[in-house]
Amino acid sequence: MTMTTATPTQDIAATVNAKTICLSIEFKRFGNSKQASMADVTVDADKALLRLSKTLLVSEELTAIARLDSGVSRWMRTKAGFSALFKGGVWIIPVAQVEEIIAELKAKLHERNILIDVAVNAYALRTAETSQRLGVVHNDNDYPTQDRFRASFHMEWSLLTFDTPAKLKAISPALFEAEKAKAALKLQSVAEECQQALRAGMLTLISNLTDRLTPDTDGRPKQFQKATVEALDEFLSTFSLRNVTDDSELDLLVQQARDVIHGVDAKTLRADTLVRQSVLDGFNRIADALTPLVTVRPDRLISFDDEV
């Protein structure tokens, strides 16, 4: 009888599969640019070689919506931590934080809908203002009705998994097994990337703080923002939720970092030289231990096109 033993990578993959879920977020906004006709434009050049793009609406209301969407993506990076791995707005998030994240997305959707109402109410005015500025390249057909303008905005999310659809097995057992194997390989890759992303994230936070705690070449202390300390505190406090690979090596270093920074805030670091040096020494030791654990890999995207 042949015994098979799971490899460490397979163990990590199984842990990630149990502790995480994928969240897909889709934003849509009014397409605010369009190719303009060169027919009425006079230039001293061959028009066949030129392309003219025009902005349809100069609208602070549209800018506000785009800013909110960008803010949601930035917030997701603080929660997921693995956004760089994915394309198409797909994030891998800890199961333990799903309810918190969905609640925040619902709040942002409500805020976004208010901004959309403002943009819709200003639509006629912004259309008239921008049309006048466009002059000869203005085209009434570029502007939808107010209802269609409102319908061009969209935000929704859905939860995805790595599981192979069971109904595929009834269609073709061979195809089911092939897709199952492909999903397993992808999951192993995701697991390795998740582990590295969390390690690299901690190293970046510690490096940022130690850089600010290290005196200038003339021996004078550097200025640093309270947010530098708060970002590390937030990482350490939420690590147990985000440690979806059960990374024991990183967990040990996180415990050490908590001990180093315990009871210390930005004000103390600025005012107390001895505390500042103690924290700097402690984090330098942690950085030395953490650096070999971080594997530098070429940036790449994991596609979920098949699943979606």
Side-chain angles (χ1 to χ4, degrees), residues 244-259:
V244 295
T245 63
D246 286 347
D247 190 339
S248 58
E249 292 177 292
L250 186 58
D251 182 62
L252 178 61
L253 295 176
V254 166
Q255 294 293 341
Q256 294 176 15
R258 288 171 178 159
D259 292 339

Side-chain angles (χ1 to χ4, degrees), residues 29-304:
R29 298 188 295 272
F30 173 69
N32 199 27
S33 65
K34 195 164 187 177
Q35 185 173 332
S37 172
M38 296 291 296
D40 298 318
V41 179
T42 302
V43 292
D44 186 17
D46 185 347
K47 293 182 181 181
L49 303 179
L50 303 179
R51 293 293 181 272
L52 178 62
S53 177
K54 59 183 176 181
T55 298
L56 299 180
L57 294 173
V58 177
S59 168
E60 59 188 35
E61 295 81 15
L62 292 182
T63 300
I65 296 170
R67 189 180 298 118
L68 182 142
D69 293 350
S70 297
V72 171
S73 296
R74 287 194 300 272
W75 182 80
M76 282 301 303
R77 281 195 289 273
T78 69
K79 292 300 178 183
F82 315 121
S83 59
L85 305 176
F86 302 99
K87 69 178 183 179
V90 179
W91 310 77
I92 183 167
I93 60 175
V95 170
Q97 291 184 287
V98 168
E99 290 186 355
E100 172 196 351
I101 291 173
I102 296 299
E104 178 66 14
L105 291 178
K106 288 181 178 178
K108 289 300 181 183
L109 176 59
H110 176 70
E111 183 179 344
R112 191 178 195 262
N113 286 336
I114 293 174
L115 293 178
I116 292 171
D117 287 340
V118 174
V120 170
N121 290 335
Y123 178 57
L125 175 61
R126 300 305 179 211
T127 299
E129 292 173 343
T130 311
S131 297
Q132 185 175 11
R133 293 176 62 181
L134 287 172
V136 295
V137 297
H138 166 73
N139 185 341
D140 285 337
N141 294 328
D142 292 333
Y143 298 88
T145 64
Q146 191 177 71
D147 287 342
R148 287 186 175 274
F149 175 73
R150 179 187 290 277
S152 66
F153 295 94
H154 174 76
M155 174 184 171
E156 71 173 18
W157 54 86
S158 57
L159 296 171
L160 312 170
T161 70
F162 288 95
D163 297 330
T164 304
K167 64 181 180 181
L168 185 60
K169 191 172 185 179
I171 299 172
S172 169
L175 183 57
F176 173 80
E177 292 300 327
E179 290 300 310
K180 185 177 177 181
K182 187 168 67 173
L185 288 174
K186 185 178 291 186
L187 181 58
Q188 288 180 18
S189 178
V190 168
E192 293 173 1
E193 299 282 2
C194 287
Q195 185 181 71
Q196 284 300 312
L198 208 56
R199 290 177 175 184
M202 180 175 174
L203 182 59
T204 297
L205 292 170
I206 288 179
S207 298
N208 289 342
L209 185 56
T210 54
D211 174 70
R212 303 318 301 167
L213 295 177
T214 302
D216 285 329
T217 53
D218 58 5
R220 292 186 302 178
K222 297 176 183 175
Q223 297 295 319
F224 66 90
Q225 301 295 322
K226 182 172 67 171
T228 306
V229 180
E230 291 176 341
L232 179 60
D233 283 340
E234 197 272 342
F235 179 93
L236 298 177
S237 64
T238 61
F239 174 75
S240 59
L241 296 176
R242 301 171 67 188
N243 185 20
V244 295
T245 63
D246 286 347
D247 190 339
S248 58
E249 292 177 292
L250 186 58
D251 182 62
L252 178 61
L253 295 176
V254 166
Q255 294 293 341
Q256 294 176 15
R258 288 171 178 159
D259 292 339
V260 169
I261 203 70
H262 178 69
V264 178
D265 57 16
K267 183 177 180 181
T268 304
L269 288 173
R270 293 190 187 101
D272 194 318
T273 304
L274 292 178
V275 171
R276 184 164 62 247
Q277 187 61 51
S278 174
V279 170
L280 176 60
D281 292 342
F283 280 149
N284 277 333
R285 289 192 295 270
I286 293 172
D288 289 341
L290 180 55
T291 299
L293 300 180
V294 178
T295 302
V296 178
R297 300 184 180 188
D299 291 338
R300 64 189 183 86
L301 297 174
I302 296 174
S303 170
F304 282 75

